[in-house]
Amino acid sequence: MGMDRGPVFYTQYVQIPTDSVATVAGMRRLFVNLHPTAHTQDLYNGFITRHGITDARLLPLPSAGSCQPSAGIADLLKGMPTNYRPAVVGGNYPLVCGLSVHFFPADEAMVRAHIAANPVITLRASVPLCATNSPLLNVPAINQRLVTDGVLQTTPNLGVGGNSWNVLFESAKLAQLSPSLFVTSDPQVGWETYIKSFTLNLTAQTATMSPAAASNSAAICTPTPLVINFG
């Protein structure tokens, strides 16, 4: 929100089985990988270039278990030994996850036909994002006020920093005296968003803000999770 760098999340995916298969303990194995369609349709590079985005290249799964074998593939291969039943394997950017599928050689055509006709991975994830109309906090303007007041110091290539207790106290006072700087009707909400831009070390009594955070606005988040479903 208000930035041109960070993770890019995808709402549409496609499953792609590997062409090659391996023989394991007399059985055949292939992998089915879940790809973002933006990559398979060659849309990603153009989008990133047009909008000047620096992608953090993170996999968009907030918790384990977001990917599961579908009920259909599990039922189809329920006769396989326990250790060789369909199992989810971790992703590798941009692949969100994959499925390891073992089968007897005589069943390969049947298994490939099922994969071609049905989703064999289910993806259920909720990414905690902010609404696009969330108010934006002008972090550079607040920083400048605190620099002028001697609370913060600027360091070339290192952003801004100061004594953690002074930053906490003086920024809270500024939120009370100049609430318009903190955007919302309740300046405490804006202040909390501002403080989250810092790395605080209360033991060492330091507060530092990276150059990226110091030069960009921060969203006062109106939570609107991105729900991702496949299968």
Side-chain angles (χ1 to χ4, degrees):
M1 179 64 64
M3 299 178 68
D4 58 4
R5 64 184 64 232
V8 175
F9 300 111
Y10 305 92
T11 57
Q12 297 181 37
Y13 295 84
V14 61
Q15 64 180 30
I16 300 178
T18 55
D19 291 329
S20 60
V21 295
T23 301
V24 180
M27 289 173 284
R28 305 280 276 167
R29 181 184 67 186
L30 60 77
F31 291 95
V32 183
N33 294 313
L34 208 54
H35 295 249
T37 54
H39 286 260
T40 62
Q41 296 178 0
D42 199 24
L43 300 173
Y44 171 83
N45 289 330
F47 176 83
I48 293 296
T49 301
R50 281 196 308 275
H51 297 283
I53 293 170
T54 301
D55 185 1
R57 295 178 177 265
L58 299 176
L59 293 176
L61 295 186
S63 62
S66 298
C67 283
Q68 295 290 332
S70 71
I73 192 69
D75 185 63
L76 183 71
L77 298 174
K78 65 183 178 182
M80 297 296 294
T82 301
N83 292 339
Y84 294 96
R85 291 174 185 169
V88 169
V89 295
N92 183 17
Y93 183 89
L95 308 182
V96 64
C97 60
L99 191 69
S100 172
V101 182
H102 289 84
F103 46 86
F104 294 110
D107 294 333
E108 181 169 348
M110 176 188 69
V111 170
R112 285 193 176 275
H114 181 89
I115 293 170
N118 303 279
V120 293
I121 305 174
T122 62
L123 170 61
R124 303 286 183 267
S126 179
V127 183
L129 299 182
C130 304
T132 55
N133 61 351
S134 295
L136 294 177
L137 187 69
N138 191 338
V139 172
I142 299 172
N143 285 344
Q144 187 54 55
R145 283 287 298 271
L146 294 176
V147 168
T148 300
D149 294 342
V151 179
L152 290 176
Q153 295 78 45
T154 58
T155 305
N157 303 319
L158 295 177
V160 299
N163 177 279
S164 56
W165 300 110
N166 289 344
V167 169
L168 289 167
F169 177 76
E170 295 296 339
S171 61
K173 185 169 72 173
L174 182 62
Q176 294 177 330
L177 297 177
S178 301
S180 60
L181 267 177
F182 291 81
V183 180
T184 60
S185 57
D186 182 356
Q188 180 175 341
V189 176
W191 176 79
E192 289 174 352
T193 298
Y194 175 69
I195 289 300
K196 288 178 182 177
S197 299
F198 284 94
T199 298
L200 296 173
N201 186 329
L202 300 182
T203 302
Q205 298 187 19
T206 60
T208 56
M209 185 184 297
S210 70
S215 59
N216 287 283
S217 296
I220 301 177
C221 189
T222 303
T224 306
L226 173 66
V227 178
I228 300 174
N229 288 305
F230 178 85

